[in-house]
Amino acid sequence: MIIRNPNREIALIKKVLGQNQPLTRGSLAGLVKSFVTKNRRSILSIARAHATPFYLFDRQSLDANISRFIAAFARLAPKQNIFYAMKSNPYVPVLKTVVRHGLGLDVSSGTELQLAVNAGAKRIVFNGPGKTAAELGLALKHRSKVTVNLDSFAELKTLGSLAAARKQKIRAGVRLVSTTSHGAWNKFGVPLEQIETFWRTASRYQNISLEGIHFHNSWNANAAPYVETIKTIAAFLKRSPRVRRSLKFIDIGGGFWPYRVDGYYPWLLPAGEIVRTAHAAQKTAASFTDRYYLSESVPLASYAREIKQAVDKHLAPLGDYQYYVEPGRSISYPAFHIVMRIADVKGADYGIADAGTNIVGLDTYEYVYHPLINLTHFGTKEITFELFGSLCTPDDVFGHYCYATKMAAGDVIIIPNQGAYTYNTAQPFIKDVAPVLPLPNR
């Protein structure tokens, strides 16, 4: 036996299994029906003319989503202070669409910085840990457009030395270690208790204008993490007049989860994982109450309203600051859809697609629920059907249910709203990365 104290571990497992977990039950049937009504005919036409699989670039939906975000955050951040986090999807037409709307770009490498410049971005924030001298040198080259959010004292020293040697001035902020996360998230930023020292150190570098504080909390179900961090920053500024007087911007970061477009399977929860693992060990099938749960989130307007209220209450009395936001997936998610065909039906409730999950970076769909839609034999209700990819590996699953009346070889299947962290994480594993085709305006 590998467990030192079985009774303690059994008691712990019982405790986890007995915990009440806050769950968002619901269905995405309304979203699916609306998508099919709007797009079915044009997508089937494209699928007849082109080999599957492919991504569809939906510029019309991206345009509409950018406009929604600008409107939601208008009272907090004007559009020039909205920086699209291009790591969520760096497809050049996506970047150019964002820039055309007047938004800036958020980059986290020299590669992304060059892409942002090439896309015509007028304003760029450079985030991320471990920036190299070459990357910081590139930021200096484009200093009229770039604000560097420094991640450490070492980055400050490197940028300060480069700027002095080149006799070039650049604007900067400093990233704060997240006050609402822990563990691996602590790799980012400078601890709050060191920010005043950081400010004093930065003052020695005459070519660096340190003007901002940046923080970032990811995967936020609501505005609470932003509000908590805003309170923390306000309390710090009250006791640090040096920082308060020279501060010009506060970068709130991103992490706004799209509302009611995806979900997760029960086995992603601690209790579900225990049950599934136990059944797998016994070679039996686990049974769960619900097929999936909807991802916890709130509408964009709710994030914006509560953040603005916190800013007005805690930060506005301390100074006339500008506020930046860095949306990623909340902008890009409707920009791409994934289209494939059923290559083989191998049983009544399972089959093989002509795509592999390398189209998104492998095992995403084993845990994250996105609706599968059969455009050939569309149905308004989901049927149980496990759709595997065609990679020569078992960890190649697209989903366990499909909106369909039946499933047959050759049927066109679409997974909508796949514009975030799919195209950019795809890899040529066994199969080539799929091409991108345009979806005409409807």
Side-chain angles (χ1 to χ4, degrees):
M1 179 173 282
I2 64 170
I3 300 172
R4 180 175 296 173
N5 188 337
N7 290 334
R8 186 186 70 175
E9 304 305 334
I10 290 170
L12 180 61
I13 289 170
K14 286 182 177 180
K15 182 178 180 180
V16 172
L17 292 177
Q19 286 176 338
N20 286 324
Q21 184 84 24
L23 302 169
T24 304
R25 292 182 167 89
S27 168
L28 297 179
L31 177 150
V32 168
K33 185 177 180 181
S34 175
F35 181 89
V36 170
T37 300
K38 183 178 181 181
N39 298 295
R40 184 183 187 188
R41 181 176 297 178
S42 58
I43 294 174
L44 286 175
S45 176
I46 295 169
R48 284 192 292 270
H50 297 273
T52 52
F54 52 80
Y55 304 95
L56 275 179
F57 172 44
D58 189 345
R59 190 190 304 271
Q60 185 176 352
S61 292
L62 176 61
D63 276 326
N65 205 42
I66 294 171
S67 295
R68 279 193 293 270
F69 193 96
I70 291 171
F73 279 82
R75 293 183 62 240
L76 177 69
K79 62 183 180 181
Q80 67 268 22
N81 287 354
I82 299 172
F83 297 85
Y84 166 64
M86 59 181 285
K87 65 184 178 182
S88 72
N89 190 327
Y91 184 56
V92 172
V94 169
L95 302 183
K96 289 186 175 181
T97 301
V98 169
V99 169
R100 178 169 51 79
H101 279 266
L103 275 60
L105 294 178
D106 160 26
V107 307
S108 28
S109 71
T111 300
E112 288 192 344
L113 175 52
Q114 191 60 60
L115 279 171
V117 170
N118 294 347
K122 300 293 190 296
R123 286 164 60 85
I124 300 168
V125 290
F126 189 178
N127 290 313
K131 302 179 190 71
T132 66
E135 289 174 325
L136 293 172
L138 186 62
L140 281 166
K141 179 180 177 181
H142 299 288
R143 60 196 178 277
S144 64
K145 302 177 178 182
V146 177
T147 299
V148 179
N149 280 330
L150 295 162
D151 202 73
S152 69
F153 284 85
E155 282 189 8
L156 171 61
K157 181 180 179 181
T158 301
L159 181 60
S161 298
L162 285 170
R166 298 186 185 190
K167 298 180 180 178
Q168 296 171 337
K169 293 189 176 182
I170 191 165
R171 194 164 177 252
V174 56
R175 178 163 179 169
L176 182 68
V177 169
S178 175
T179 60
T180 61
S181 304
H182 55 82
W185 287 102
N186 288 343
K187 69 178 269 189
F188 300 102
V190 175
L192 181 65
E193 59 270 20
Q194 296 177 20
I195 293 296
E196 190 155 7
T197 302
F198 193 95
W199 225 269
R200 282 198 306 272
T201 306
S203 68
R204 301 171 192 164
Y205 298 99
Q206 295 182 357
N207 293 69
I208 293 181
S209 178
L210 186 60
E211 302 177 359
I213 291 176
H214 170 233
F215 68 89
H216 181 83
N217 301 297
S218 288
W219 310 321
N220 299 307
N222 53 52
Y226 306 97
V227 172
E228 182 180 334
T229 307
I230 286 168
K231 290 179 181 178
T232 300
I233 292 173
F236 164 75
L237 291 175
K238 287 177 181 178
R239 61 180 186 268
S240 178
R242 169 194 281 269
V243 177
R244 187 174 68 247
R245 286 194 299 266
S246 57
L247 190 67
K248 294 184 179 179
F249 74 87
I250 297 173
D251 187 340
I252 290 169
F256 315 104
W257 199 267
Y259 186 64
R260 298 293 185 266
V261 296
D262 62 8
Y264 56 93
Y265 293 108
W267 50 86
L268 195 61
L269 298 166
E273 187 175 7
I274 290 170
V275 170
R276 196 183 193 209
T277 300
H279 277 280
Q282 298 300 313
K283 295 182 171 59
T284 54
S287 178
F288 296 100
T289 304
D290 301 288
R291 288 179 167 182
Y292 53 85
Y293 304 104
L294 300 182
S295 295
E296 288 81 12
S297 63
V298 294
L300 270 178
S302 295
Y303 288 110
R305 182 180 61 254
E306 293 184 39
I307 293 171
K308 182 64 166 61
Q309 288 171 348
V311 163
D312 289 346
K313 181 176 181 180
H314 301 287
L315 290 173
L318 303 178
D320 185 19
Y321 309 127
Q322 291 190 58
Y323 297 93
Y324 298 171
V325 290
E326 299 168 354
R329 73 174 73 239
S330 54
I331 290 284
S332 64
Y333 77 87
F336 275 31
H337 316 297
I338 294 175
V339 180
M340 64 190 82
R341 289 184 182 272
I342 298 177
D344 192 0
V345 175
K346 303 191 75 171
D349 57 0
Y350 74 103
I352 311 294
D354 61 0
T357 52
N358 68 309
I359 201 170
V360 295
L362 300 181
D363 64 351
T364 298
Y365 299 117
E366 180 63 19
Y367 304 96
V368 179
Y369 166 82
H370 290 278
L372 296 177
I373 306 170
N374 187 326
L375 291 179
T376 305
H377 296 109
F378 174 66
T380 56
K381 295 182 179 180
E382 286 179 302
I383 63 173
T384 298
F385 190 89
E386 195 156 24
L387 185 62
F388 294 93
S390 50
L391 300 181
C392 192
T393 173
D395 300 321
D396 185 29
V397 180
F398 282 107
H400 306 274
Y401 315 102
C402 187
Y403 283 89
T405 55
K406 67 175 185 177
M407 305 289 276
D411 286 0
V412 175
I413 307 295
I414 189 164
I415 313 178
N417 298 316
Q418 297 302 292
Y421 300 98
T422 52
Y423 165 78
N424 58 328
T425 57
Q427 53 186 296
F429 175 64
I430 301 178
K431 293 196 167 195
D432 291 335
V433 174
V436 181
L437 301 177
L439 179 61
N441 288 347
R442 283 80 76 201

